[in-house]
Amino acid sequence: MGGGGTGGPRSSSTPRLGFRLPLGMADFAKRGFRLDRPDERAVLERHARSFLAGFNEVTGWRNTHGVLGQIPDEERGFAYEGAGMRAALHDLVAPARAAVLPRLLAGPGQRYVHLIHVGYGWGLVPTRLPVPVRLPATPLLRWLALDGAGFAEVFFGGLPALRRRCGRPATPRQAVRIAGCGRALWFLQCADVAGVAGIIDTVPAEAKPQLWAGAGLAACYAGGIDRAKIDELVAASGKHEPHLRQGALFAITARARSGVVPAHTEMACRQLFSVGPDVAEGWTDDAARGLAGSAELSSYMEWKSRLRIAVAHRS
């Protein structure tokens, strides 16, 4: 595994999952999402197709990063997310010695470490089987898998799934998963701030901050925004603005780490924080100081809390 999955024969002990996900899964019409915003729909559907490409094209783990490197730069993070889902399914059926997640995280995968962890949380969620979300053994970022599970839950289950999740008793694990639901809500509402805000207004109070964090992350990473929409997001989030900004920082950091920062992320970063993405990434790293080696959920929640405090002072 030390070679990062970039070459060498596939171990005979590593099972090959040959099935593919249908491209129709990215179709907003089939998903029941908003269809009245064609420009935003085109952007977000393209991201969904890139996720499917990452899942479908990485099958044997022999040239993982070479395959994913063929995906266009701005879309590669979504492809790595899809590969993260495939890695989770591999690891469910493989013996521990054949786990493929370390291969995916090695080498070029380090630039997409956040997306890989998010994708790993998709696992069996689309099947709607009542099984626990599989968490990777990595520290701190392992909890992004719960965020990914929340996204998948709403992406496939729509508003009923979101309302069920938000109606459950408030716990730290629920909070992380609900943030993922907020990311999916950005897709479901096709990047319409008023639509997102209207739905968040109807859920229990304890779920609202995390939904805004997820919406902020999706807006700044996936896009479908302009300067006016950023202002609209800030105004609509109200007292939950620190959560919105924390989610935005997660998105900016993930883009900056990849080395490819699209124009909409650069714009959002400067409008929200008056700094460039490289500086904002440093804030996120600073907030994780002393926590990065911890696998405890409390450390992950502390990381997010520190960021909210930091951005509140800077705002």
Side-chain angles (χ1 to χ4, degrees), residues 143-182:
W143 300 103
L144 286 171
L146 281 182
D147 185 299
F151 183 97
E153 189 174 7
V154 172
F155 190 83
F156 290 101
L159 280 179
L162 182 143
R163 298 192 189 284
R164 284 194 299 271
R165 178 60 55 186
C166 292
R168 297 188 180 188
T171 66
R173 291 178 73 97
Q174 287 293 331
V176 177
R177 193 152 176 165
I178 288 171
C181 296

Side-chain angles (χ1 to χ4, degrees), residues 52-229:
L52 294 172
F55 183 95
N56 289 337
E57 298 307 319
V58 175
T59 56
W61 306 102
R62 294 185 61 184
N63 186 29
T64 303
H65 301 299
V67 170
L68 294 172
Q70 301 304 308
I71 304 293
D73 290 348
E74 290 189 13
E75 296 296 311
R76 197 170 299 132
F78 297 102
Y80 266 95
E81 185 179 357
M85 180 185 178
R86 185 175 281 277
L89 295 179
H90 267 281
D91 291 352
L92 277 170
V93 300
R97 67 182 183 276
V100 295
L101 181 64
R103 307 184 195 189
L104 190 58
L105 288 170
Q110 274 297 305
R111 297 200 295 269
Y112 301 96
V113 61
H114 303 87
L115 279 297
I116 293 169
H117 280 84
V118 168
Y120 201 84
W122 281 58
L124 292 176
V125 173
T127 69
R128 304 186 189 180
L129 293 173
V131 294
V133 176
R134 183 179 177 88
L135 295 176
T138 49
L140 196 60
L141 293 182
R142 69 196 306 252
W143 300 103
L144 286 171
L146 281 182
D147 185 299
F151 183 97
E153 189 174 7
V154 172
F155 190 83
F156 290 101
L159 280 179
L162 182 143
R163 298 192 189 284
R164 284 194 299 271
R165 178 60 55 186
C166 292
R168 297 188 180 188
T171 66
R173 291 178 73 97
Q174 287 293 331
V176 177
R177 193 152 176 165
I178 288 171
C181 296
R183 289 195 300 114
L185 183 58
W186 185 253
F187 282 69
L188 191 149
Q189 284 295 306
C190 212
D192 179 50
V193 176
V196 168
I199 291 170
I200 294 178
D201 283 347
T202 68
V203 305
E206 57 269 21
K208 293 179 180 179
Q210 301 303 328
L211 289 178
W212 278 115
L217 199 162
C220 293
Y221 193 93
I225 53 173
D226 55 21
R227 292 184 180 279
K229 197 174 290 187

Side-chain angles (χ1 to χ4, degrees), residues 15-35:
R16 182 186 182 99
L17 298 183
F19 67 86
R20 299 169 64 87
L21 296 176
L23 295 182
M25 292 173 66
D27 188 337
F28 278 19
K30 293 182 178 179
R31 298 258 64 81
F33 293 0
R34 290 271 297 270
L35 303 177

